Amino acid sequence: QVQLVESGGGLVQPGGSLRLSCAASGSIFRINTMGWFRQAPGNQRELVATITSGGSTNYADSVKGRFTISRDNAKNMVYLQMNSLKPEDTAVYHCNARIRRTTWDYGGMDYWGKGTPVTVSS
């Protein structure tokens, strides 16, 4: 069974930084795209950033220039470096990974972590 576990969330002042980590484990043949999503209270879940297995990245306009997504394929981990944090960044951040469990698992399936909360407040 595939599991994704996030860590690194917490309370930070505006303008501060946090680095989120997500570790994937279990029956994994290959991890394709990985990403971070966030959901604030009363809001829909929104895409924050994605990174392909080849390292191509994509960011939401609201975080572009402030956040950096990266991954370590050898460790099956994805990271989100968050700088210049704003109160509107407050949300539960969820890790997502599209994972092929076997060689015939074409395209892979999406897996989600439980989330790590980030609160930006003075």
Side-chain angles (χ1 to χ4, degrees):
Q1 187 70 28
V2 175
Q3 291 188 84
L4 273 63
V5 180
E6 304 97 336
S7 62
L11 175 65
V12 65
Q13 294 183 343
S17 299
L18 283 175
R19 187 172 191 249
L20 306 183
S21 300
C22 173
S25 62
S27 300
I28 299 173
F29 169 68
R30 181 177 296 174
I31 303 178
N32 293 331
T33 301
M34 305 184 79
W36 290 93
F37 293 72
R38 67 186 182 187
Q39 187 168 20
N43 289 27
Q44 298 180 13
R45 182 176 295 182
E46 64 176 344
L47 185 147
V48 177
T50 61
I51 182 168
T52 68
S53 60
S56 297
T57 59
N58 188 38
Y59 298 92
D61 290 340
S62 60
V63 306
K64 190 175 183 179
R66 299 187 297 120
F67 291 9
T68 302
I69 188 171
S70 61
R71 63 190 288 170
D72 187 334
N73 292 331
K75 297 181 179 180
N76 289 337
M77 296 191 70
V78 63
Y79 309 92
L80 185 68
Q81 178 66 47
M82 305 185 295
N83 299 326
S84 301
L85 283 162
K86 304 175 180 179
E88 50 263 43
D89 294 320
T90 297
V92 176
Y93 284 71
H94 295 264
C95 175
N96 167 261
R98 187 161 296 173
I99 298 175
R100 296 177 62 188
R101 294 171 295 171
T102 67
T103 58
W104 50 262
D105 189 14
Y106 307 114
M109 297 178 61
D110 283 344
Y111 294 86
W112 295 86
K114 293 182 178 180
T116 184
V118 172
T119 301
V120 184
S121 176
S122 60

